[in-house]
Amino acid sequence: MRLAATDFGGDGPSHLLLHGLGGGRSAWETLAPQLNGRAVAVDLRGHGESPDGAWDWEAVLDDLDESAVHFGLDEPVVVGQSLGGVLAGLWALRHPSCPAAISLDGHRSATTHPANYAGLPAEEVADGLAKLNAIFDAQLETITRPSHEMLSVLRTSPELLDALPIFAQVTSPFLLVLATRNLPVPPDLVPLFDAHRAGLRRDMPKNVQVHEIDATHGLVNEQPAEVAAIINHFVSSRFNA
């Protein structure tokens, strides 16, 4: 599938930028020009100006391969936010020679498996998940793109529920930028989100380098300069090693 894309130009290592669920390539407009290299951002299938299509992880990776070839990106650094961060891990698995893959707070869905929440009693996890799923169900009714079918598939996808097993298999240099502040949520759900982050710290694979940032899940828009600096430092350390 030919994806809609923006080539931000630049000299140096190529970067392929992947947005989060429900987002689009415009999310990178402030951050991309601050990267040390060429940056190309795409709209994933079913998002933005790209065509619709069923969500299949291998097909989505095929889309990205086609985009990389179209823009002449030879072994790009892959940077993804949220859903895009999971795809960055999958890209690195498909392309073991990938020079670097970076996930910007893409790791586990907020409604991951109950065992992935650390330090919170099981009954409180179950209660919090029921409330959070009800919120997401209500939000689903207001969203027209991506399609309800795509959202339903992704909400139950093992890759999105918990990407850490994927990350553990990556042999390329891999960085996770972990947001340490919660998005605005009802006060009674704060313990669930804190337990979610604690579970990530507990379970993170040893091959994943973690950089924590004082931001929420919207870190690309909130702190573009800081996030770009983190990416630049990680990438330069790989190319200059």
Side-chain angles (χ1 to χ4, degrees):
M1 179 183 292
R2 178 62 59 85
L3 302 178
T6 299
D7 186 348
F8 291 95
D11 298 318
S14 297
H15 299 67
L16 181 60
L17 308 180
L18 312 176
H19 61 78
L21 180 61
R25 67 190 193 275
S26 62
W28 303 100
E29 288 178 350
T30 302
L31 189 152
Q34 301 181 63
L35 295 176
N36 295 334
R38 182 185 178 195
V40 173
V42 300
D43 285 338
L44 300 173
R45 62 168 55 199
H47 292 73
E49 296 179 315
S50 287
D52 289 319
W55 189 272
D56 172 84
W57 293 96
E58 291 301 318
V60 172
L61 290 169
D62 289 343
D63 297 343
L64 299 179
D65 277 330
E66 183 177 336
S67 295
V69 170
H70 176 76
F71 285 98
L73 306 181
D74 183 26
E75 294 191 348
V77 173
V78 180
V79 183
Q81 195 267 334
S82 191
L83 169 63
V86 177
L87 283 167
L90 289 167
W91 171 280
L93 278 183
R94 179 182 276 204
H95 301 276
S97 60
C98 176
I102 301 170
S103 173
L104 304 177
D105 211 41
H107 32 66
R108 287 170 168 165
S109 72
T111 54
T112 184
H113 308 294
N116 292 337
Y117 300 85
L120 195 65
E123 60 273 17
E124 292 187 37
V125 171
D127 182 59
L129 284 174
K131 293 176 180 177
L132 189 56
N133 274 307
I135 292 172
F136 288 161
D137 288 341
Q139 290 176 340
L140 186 64
E141 297 305 315
T142 68
I143 296 172
T144 57
R145 188 166 174 83
S147 68
H148 288 189
E149 291 78 12
M150 180 178 288
L151 290 170
S152 296
V153 168
L154 281 167
R155 281 185 69 183
T156 58
S157 168
E159 293 86 350
L160 198 61
L161 284 170
D162 186 2
L164 299 197
I166 295 168
F167 297 169
Q169 300 175 63
V170 172
T171 56
S172 302
F174 193 92
L175 173 67
L176 172 69
V177 181
L178 179 64
T180 59
R181 285 193 282 116
N182 297 326
L183 288 166
V185 295
D188 59 344
L189 288 179
V190 169
L192 183 74
F193 279 78
D194 290 345
H196 182 279
R197 192 175 301 109
L200 287 168
R201 293 181 175 126
R202 179 194 65 192
D203 301 334
M204 192 60 58
K206 299 301 183 184
N207 63 305
V208 178
Q209 182 173 328
V210 179
H211 185 115
E212 298 197 0
I213 184 173
D214 182 24
T216 75
H217 193 61
L219 67 170
V220 170
N221 291 320
E222 294 172 4
Q223 310 247 16
E226 184 175 353
V227 173
I230 294 168
I231 295 170
N232 288 334
H233 181 268
F234 185 72
V235 173
S236 66
S237 68
R238 306 281 80 77
F239 280 90
N240 297 327

